[in-house]
Amino acid sequence: MRRETERYESYWMATTQGGNHPPLSEPVDVDVAVVGGGIAGLCTAWELSRAGRRVALVEALRVAESVTGHTTGKVSSLHGLRYARLIREAGRETARLYARSQQEAVEHVVATADELGIDCDLERAPAYVYAESPEVRDEVRAEAAAACEAGLDAVFTEETDLPFPVLGAVRVPDQVQFHPRKYLLALVADILAHGGQIFEDSRVVGLSEGTPCRVTTESGVQVTARDVVVATHYPVFDRALLFARLRPVRELVVAGLVPASDAPDGMYVSPETRTRSVRSAPSSEDGQRLLILTGEKFTPGARGVERRHGRLAQWARDRFPSLRPMYRWAAQDASTTDGMPYVGYFHPGTKHVYVATGFDGWGMSGGVMAGRLLAGMITGAKLPWTDVYDPRRLHPLREALPFVKAQAGVARHFVGDRIRLPKLDGALQVAPGTGRVLRVRGRRAAVYHDPGTGLRAVSANCTHLGCTVQFNDAERTWDCPCHGSRFGVDGAVLNGPATRPLEPVEVDRRPGEDGGEKDGGNRGGEGGG
């Protein structure tokens, strides 16, 4: 259960205030258009502006807010149990290039913060992947050897500063934890200082590839550019069919104060218990640090998000009894079928459109890496690991099983969620503060009961590819289980790949009155919260 002192808000968002950047209101002609204002887009725009390119960054909502504003702020080259798999499936050279690119991203953040004088709570800390069971201990031991073989300063250890016992861990020293918003808002200021342009509240809905390229916002205004970078987390354009090779993942976060003596110095993650991640950050309260705990991975659209939050909070209280919860939020990412991000040319036929996506929970180091890689491709300074991340790669043997599983899940939702739904026959059919997918006047509708104003209904068909959205009872949103689009209860797009809102559905909003259909309906069936 949520404690009264908790705020459902990201700590990074609560402790920073972004600038006000205008919407795109008139045509712009630049060298490079960057679509998306998260860490990948901002780092790309920053690298290019420093290289002398004329850059325009176009963001649908606000820069450094959507996915990037809800991370855990770890910049590390140790990515769970990644290197043993890479060596086994892709070879030692690929693993070495991956490790080098990620570690260079870590050092690039440190160097950039120092160069620009960014006060972003940056701290050097060791990163750990730990095990609590014998089975995972064996995997962790193998990962330590693989990470070392890939070139990281990795060791297996049985010693940590966690307040609970573990059976073993991989340790890589001198990684980074920071306040991602403070860092990125400083990059925004430097982009502007170097002549770059940033536009907010400007959702891009069209892309025309040519010489030059053009991107078009929902208001019809265009940016003309030689090169275009699509850095919208999940690509908003389907022409490369990357959506079929990406799987959206959502993860929960709880954060609160603990005495500094109870806070671990390292950054920890375990693949067990639906993933558990632990790290701490500086606090403005004397003798206290902010403890940040992450876990409970699930696919957007899964039911029982509030219950998952409860499990994570209980795990946190069991292991850190002094924790005083203050914030909780959720993060979203996408994983690829072969476990490697897609950064590079958007599709085989293009020479001027690029993409960055699929960071699988490691978007801080991945976003910095992507910015350097894409800027190098555009300026002619190709980096050694460029081919490793090429989105045009195909590895049928490595990708076949994950691809089949991902598409089976999409098909299950696309077909199964279209079974006959109960009809809406009154506001009390949907409990206050919850939502259900019901049939309203012959249409599938996502119906939310606002405790103050009554019913609010929108189409239940995701505007991306038509999957049926489901209610998220913790965040009060409608989430698509197929490709991760998320919408407010008013239908507004919160996360892509959808670019259009859910259409409103007419319904009687008055509590306790008829909701729009007269035949009494069926009160069983589709549940929402």
Side-chain angles (χ1 to χ4, degrees):
M1 181 177 294
R2 188 185 312 185
R3 296 185 179 184
E4 292 183 2
T5 55
E6 284 182 296
R7 300 163 57 179
Y8 207 112
E9 183 180 15
S10 158
Y11 170 75
W12 319 122
M13 297 295 298
T15 53
T16 50
Q17 185 173 358
N20 293 312
H21 305 286
L24 182 67
S25 58
E26 57 185 32
V28 172
D29 191 333
V30 292
D31 297 323
V32 185
V34 178
V35 183
I39 188 168
L42 286 170
C43 286
T44 302
W46 182 76
E47 300 282 353
L48 289 166
S49 67
R50 301 275 288 196
R53 297 300 193 271
R54 296 177 303 130
V55 179
L57 184 146
V58 187
E59 163 59 33
L61 299 172
R62 308 278 288 177
V63 297
E65 282 197 5
S66 183
V67 173
T68 295
H70 294 80
T71 69
T72 53
K74 297 185 295 185
V75 192
S76 173
S77 57
L78 183 63
H79 295 173
L81 302 176
R82 178 65 51 91
Y83 292 100
R85 176 185 173 184
L86 276 178
I87 291 175
R88 183 175 63 251
E89 297 182 353
R92 290 178 176 83
E93 183 60 21
T94 295
R96 290 192 188 103
L97 289 170
Y98 183 91
R100 181 182 166 191
S101 69
Q102 299 296 324
Q103 187 59 39
E104 286 199 15
V106 174
E107 302 305 327
H108 195 58
V109 168
V110 176
T112 301
D114 183 64
E115 178 187 352
L116 300 183
I118 305 173
D119 181 7
C120 58
D121 300 335
L122 190 149
E123 297 176 322
R124 286 282 200 176
Y128 296 82
V129 179
Y130 71 92
E132 295 185 84
S133 68
E135 296 80 7
V136 176
R137 177 186 58 191
D138 294 339
E139 293 183 71
V140 164
R141 190 185 295 275
E143 182 65 17
C148 187
E149 186 175 355
L152 298 183
D153 186 12
V155 297
F156 177 81
T157 181
E158 295 179 348
E159 297 180 2
T160 72
D161 65 343
L162 290 171
F164 52 89
V166 303
L167 296 182
V170 188
R171 182 183 188 274
V172 174
D174 293 327
Q175 304 301 287
V176 164
Q177 52 190 16
F178 71 158
H179 191 306
R181 288 261 301 167
K182 289 180 180 179
Y183 179 82
L184 291 171
L185 292 177
L187 293 194
V188 167
D190 202 56
I191 291 169
L192 297 174
H194 282 81
Q197 302 177 75
I198 294 179
F199 302 99
E200 295 181 325
D201 297 317
S202 304
R203 188 176 299 279
V204 169
V205 297
L207 168 63
S208 174
E209 298 185 49
T211 308
C213 299
R214 290 182 174 81
V215 296
T216 307
T217 66
E218 58 188 351
S219 63
V221 185
Q222 290 188 335
V223 177
T224 301
R226 179 180 186 274
D227 297 295
V228 174
V229 174
V230 180
T232 56
H233 174 62
Y234 206 113
V236 295
F237 303 110
D238 293 334
R239 65 191 64 184
L241 298 181
L242 289 185
F243 68 90
R245 300 167 66 198
L246 289 166
R247 182 175 67 88
V249 179
R250 201 150 180 82
E251 198 165 11
L252 306 179
V253 185
V254 296
L257 293 177
V258 295
S261 58
D262 292 349
D265 293 328
M267 302 180 291
Y268 292 87
V269 65
S270 172
E272 298 172 275
T273 323
R274 300 182 184 85
T275 306
R276 291 291 185 261
S277 171
V278 181
R279 73 102 152 177
S280 67
S283 166
S284 59
E285 294 196 22
D286 290 341
Q288 303 281 304
R289 283 182 67 86
L290 186 79
L291 190 69
I292 304 168
L293 305 106
T294 312
E296 294 294 319
K297 285 186 176 180
F298 63 97
T299 301
R303 293 183 175 87
V305 178
E306 185 70 25
R307 185 173 63 251
R308 297 171 193 269
H309 249 306
R311 281 200 298 261
L312 180 61
Q314 186 62 53
W315 185 92
R317 288 191 293 269
D318 289 345
R319 286 159 175 76
F320 298 90
S322 62
L323 176 66
R324 176 156 53 97
M326 297 182 66
Y327 300 92
R328 64 179 194 151
W329 67 90
Q332 186 155 318
D333 214 320
S335 60
T336 68
T337 47
D338 67 357
M340 298 278 284
Y342 297 136
V343 183
Y345 287 120
F346 197 4
H347 59 82
T350 190
K351 294 183 179 179
H352 295 287
V353 180
Y354 305 82
V355 70
T357 187
F359 297 114
D360 194 25
W362 302 100
M364 296 294 97
S365 62
V368 174
M369 177 278 297
R372 298 184 68 216
L373 187 156
L374 293 175
M377 292 182 71
I378 290 170
T379 61
K382 183 178 178 180
L383 295 174
W385 47 83
T386 300
D387 293 342
V388 168
Y389 296 101
D390 191 339
R392 300 170 300 179
R393 68 185 184 266
L394 288 174
H395 304 292
L397 294 180
R398 289 163 56 190
E399 298 186 55
L401 184 58
F403 177 86
V404 170
K405 286 183 177 180
Q407 294 313 302
V410 170
R412 183 173 65 252
H413 285 292
F414 197 81
V415 176
D417 292 344
R418 280 164 167 71
I419 60 174
R420 180 175 176 82
L421 297 172
K423 296 179 182 179
L424 174 64
D425 65 354
L428 296 182
Q429 186 181 4
V430 184
T434 71
R436 297 184 68 183
V437 176
L438 299 166
R439 186 154 55 92
V440 178
R441 297 185 175 90
R443 298 181 61 184
R444 285 179 300 134
V447 183
Y448 172 69
H449 189 160
D450 186 296
T453 60
L455 297 183
R456 181 193 295 266
V458 292
S459 170
N461 297 332
C462 176
T463 55
H464 176 227
L465 291 179
C467 290
T468 302
V469 298
Q470 301 294 337
F471 187 65
N472 180 327
D473 62 347
E475 300 173 87
R476 305 294 189 267
T477 58
W478 294 106
D479 299 353
C480 177
C482 292
H483 305 106
S485 296
R486 301 179 61 246
F487 306 85
V489 292
D490 61 352
V493 179
L494 303 177
N495 288 106
T499 59
R500 293 178 290 111
L502 300 175
E503 296 180 0
V505 173
E506 184 179 351
V507 64
D508 192 324
R509 298 168 60 91
R510 292 171 295 173
E513 297 295 330
D514 184 85
E517 299 216 336
K518 304 295 185 181
D519 62 358
N522 175 359
R523 295 179 184 269
E526 186 83 1

